[in-house]
């Protein structure tokens, strides 16, 4: 998915200057805002995951978590992790997997690793959430900058 933005050089420089000012003047506000955005993103992914999967057993959404806010060369990031100790099979749901019978009828492990009986297609849970999030996130950034201007922090 490609997205083109039409900026003239002056407005681009003004936007970058405003973001740098926010980064220097109120890093705690940026961290607080990023954590809130991350929590909202986790909620959206949980909602999508629950609607995409028919059976609601196990720990599918319990392992979703956020990393700490990191500042790398003036760029603030926060990581979303979907797979961990509580739900180690997230990639199987997201991308799909082969169904295997790993044991013989007598209960012994198969020497070939298992008989493949079919394929379960992936659910693609993150992709639609990210598409929707891209639309909303730009608006939220603009609202945050407007709020900072009103508060006199810019």
């Amino acid at each position: 998915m490609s997205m083109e933005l039409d900026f003239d050089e002056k407005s681009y420089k003004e936007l970058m200057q405003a973001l740098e000012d926010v980064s220097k003047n109120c890093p705690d506000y940026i961290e607080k805002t990023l954590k809130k955005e991350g929590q909202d993103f986790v909620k959206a992914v949980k909602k999508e995951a629950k609607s995409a999967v028919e059976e609601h057993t196990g720990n599918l959404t319990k392992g979703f978590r956020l990393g700490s806010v990191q500042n790398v060369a003036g760029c603030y990031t926060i990581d979303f992790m979907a797979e961990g100790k509580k739900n180690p099979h997230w990639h199987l749901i997201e991308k799909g997997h082969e169904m295997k019978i790993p044991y013989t009828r007598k209960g012994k492990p198969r020497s070939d690793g298992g008989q493949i009986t079919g394929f379960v297609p992936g659910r693609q849970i993150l992709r639609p959430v990210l598409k929707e999030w891209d639309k909303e996130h730009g608006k939220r950034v603009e609202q945050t900058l407007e709020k900072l201007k009103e508060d006199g922090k810019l």
Side-chain angles (χ1 to χ4, degrees), residues 133-149:
W133 199 257
D134 283 344
K135 295 175 189 174
E136 294 176 13
H137 188 67
K139 294 176 187 176
R140 290 181 182 180
V141 169
E142 289 177 11
Q143 290 172 354
T144 302
L145 286 175
E146 290 298 322
K147 183 178 178 185
L148 287 171
K149 284 181 183 178

Side-chain angles (χ1 to χ4, degrees), residues 7 15 19 24 34 47 50 58 73 90 101 125 134-135:
F7 278 120
L15 176 64
L19 292 174
K24 289 177 186 174
L34 265 179
K47 183 178 177 183
K50 287 181 179 179
W90 172 258
I101 300 175
I125 295 168
D134 283 344
K135 295 175 189 174

Side-chain angles (χ1 to χ4, degrees), residues 73-124:
C75 180
Y76 286 87
T77 61
I78 189 167
D79 293 328
F80 167 74
M81 293 160 275
E83 198 165 293
K85 291 180 182 176
K86 292 187 178 180
N87 59 347
H89 306 298
W90 172 258
H91 64 283
L92 300 175
I93 294 169
E94 182 75 16
K95 297 179 182 176
H97 61 278
E98 294 177 337
M99 290 178 22
K100 288 186 178 183
I101 300 175
Y103 299 102
T104 62
R105 290 183 184 170
K106 295 181 180 181
K108 295 181 181 180
R110 291 182 179 270
S111 61
D112 61 355
Q115 178 184 5
I116 298 172
T117 60
F119 183 80
V120 178
R123 303 291 184 172
Q124 296 296 322

